[in-house]
Amino acid sequence: MDNGTIAARRVWLKISLVAVGLLIFIIFAILSIYWAALGRSSGNIHNLSGYVVDFDGEQIGQTVTQAFSNLHGNKQLSWLVKNASEFPNGPPDVQAALVDHRCWVAVTVNPGATSNLIAAINKTDATYNTSQAISAYLTDARNEAAYRIIITPMVNAILTNITQTLGLAFAGELASNPNLPNLMHTAPSLVTLSVNYAVYDLRPFDVPVASAVDYVGLIYLMILANHLLVANAQSGLARRLTLTSLIVVRLLWPFTLYFFISLMYCLLSLAFGVPFSRYYGGAGFLIYWMMSWMAMAALHVSSQSMITLLTLKFVPVFLVLWIIVNVSVAYYPIEVLPIIFRYGYAMPFYNVSNTVRTVVFNTKNQIGLNFGVQFAWIAVSCITLPIFQWLVRRREVQAWHQSQVKEGE
């Protein structure tokens, strides 16, 4: 074996070992961020609040409020028993508070719940709907994962337990009622299930394909936004332009390209049935298109700044980090994640997701804030990229001068 082959093998082995070390670093230092976002959420459920409002004021209302008042712990929602006087228009005001994101779930004991039940028993009213007593209100589209995995099962379990307790209490009272045989024959539900509840989803997540644009598709948005990074870096154009021209190209060219790419991306979602016009008419699609455009620009220009410093050799590490820190805050509510994940409110993914939910599901409108975050990322990159590019160009010029000196010697 000749010396050249031996030397080549040494270089190959060195590169392989460095690559393995870098991958191990990515696994434990970067991927662990996403694992932590999913694995540490159960201990912070108490950061999600729920309202309990008693509009009844009698036996059913008192039992329900007392039961929720006894629920505590980090793995339990923080139940806030609200005075009915805070909601002068009754349950509709509670629903409005939920839609306004003042809480994550609301439970109301409806007006006259106890008296209506007693009246139905006295009249042997077979038409009485026992689920009118208690109502639970959700907004699933606010974060479908949180409701599916955490909130909805918890609310159902609590209310099932409460209604069973109330049912036993009323059944015990009915045991001595001489009208019991007639009740069992005519209106058995008044005896066997005298108190029940109904769940109302005010903002249902009823468009499954929307997952492609409010969570999973955000990863593709990132990939599309950074697809041109390597191509631009490998073009060799950087060394043929003046510093000013190079900065202008790196800042303005992506905005032009992603104006059209983002349109194609949005049209794909429209073609597969995402109803952007449900609540904002034709403006809904335009809002989503502009948000996708700004998000692509924010993601790309930020990466553009970093590739200037890190070069192609290390930019993959940054891109993995950039994806992970964005994805980690887009699945569960930030409130249930460890406190370090509060950075998520300022992440492009989180704000794109919020805009999608507002446009498609009519959740709380914070579109102005969502656009503001994207503009902030673009503005920061417009400051940092010229600085980084100037530093790199200065380093390249110094290296060139040194090489000229050596050639002259």
Side-chain angles (χ1 to χ4, degrees), residues 176-367:
S176 58
N177 190 322
N179 194 37
L180 181 59
N182 188 34
L183 277 171
M184 288 296 296
H185 180 264
T186 307
S189 63
L190 293 174
V191 180
T192 59
L193 192 62
S194 55
V195 180
N196 201 0
Y197 68 94
V199 178
Y200 302 95
D201 195 343
L202 305 181
R203 296 292 185 270
F205 189 84
D206 55 359
V207 184
V209 72
S211 296
V213 289
D214 74 0
Y215 179 64
V216 178
L218 296 176
I219 300 174
Y220 306 137
L221 189 73
M222 172 76 83
I223 294 171
L224 292 172
N226 291 300
H227 179 72
L228 299 176
L229 271 180
V230 175
N232 290 340
Q234 291 179 332
S235 65
L237 184 64
R239 295 188 178 184
R240 297 180 178 273
L241 296 176
T242 64
L243 178 61
T244 302
S245 298
L246 179 59
I247 292 172
V248 170
V249 167
R250 287 196 164 180
L251 286 178
L252 297 184
W253 187 233
F255 285 93
T256 304
L257 293 178
Y258 288 123
F259 179 81
F260 299 101
I261 295 173
S262 61
L263 175 60
M264 299 302 107
Y265 175 78
C266 296
L267 287 173
L268 175 66
S269 299
L270 187 66
F272 280 90
V274 178
F276 293 112
S277 61
R278 282 173 109 182
Y279 301 101
Y280 295 89
F285 179 80
L286 181 62
I287 291 170
Y288 176 60
W289 175 20
M290 293 298 100
M291 172 55 68
S292 298
W293 180 28
M294 290 299 99
M296 279 188 171
L299 293 166
H300 177 88
V301 178
S302 300
S303 302
Q304 188 84 266
S305 297
M306 296 309 299
I307 197 174
T308 303
L309 278 183
L310 299 175
T311 71
L312 284 176
K313 184 183 296 185
F314 295 106
V315 78
V317 179
F318 169 76
L319 291 180
V320 172
L321 175 63
W322 197 212
I323 291 173
I324 292 296
V325 296
N326 272 279
V327 169
S328 298
V329 295
Y331 187 68
Y332 278 135
I334 293 177
E335 292 90 331
V336 304
L337 304 182
I339 193 170
I340 192 173
F341 288 93
R342 295 296 189 272
Y343 74 80
Y345 292 116
M347 286 290 103
F349 274 24
Y350 177 81
N351 288 276
V352 173
S353 179
N354 274 10
T355 296
V356 171
R357 295 177 188 280
T358 300
V359 170
V360 178
F361 301 109
N362 198 27
T363 58
K364 184 177 181 180
N365 189 338
Q366 295 180 307
I367 292 175

Side-chain angles (χ1 to χ4, degrees), residues 1 12 14 48 76 81 83 98 104 107 113 121 137 162 173 217 239 255 281 286 296 312 340 358 374 380:
M1 186 180 300
W12 168 79
K14 181 180 178 181
L48 304 180
Q76 180 63 248
V81 177
N83 196 303
L98 177 63
W104 281 85
V107 176
I121 291 173
Y137 300 101
I162 291 173
E173 295 174 8
R239 295 188 178 184
F255 285 93
L286 181 62
M296 279 188 171
L312 284 176
I340 192 173
T358 300
Q374 310 299 354
V380 169

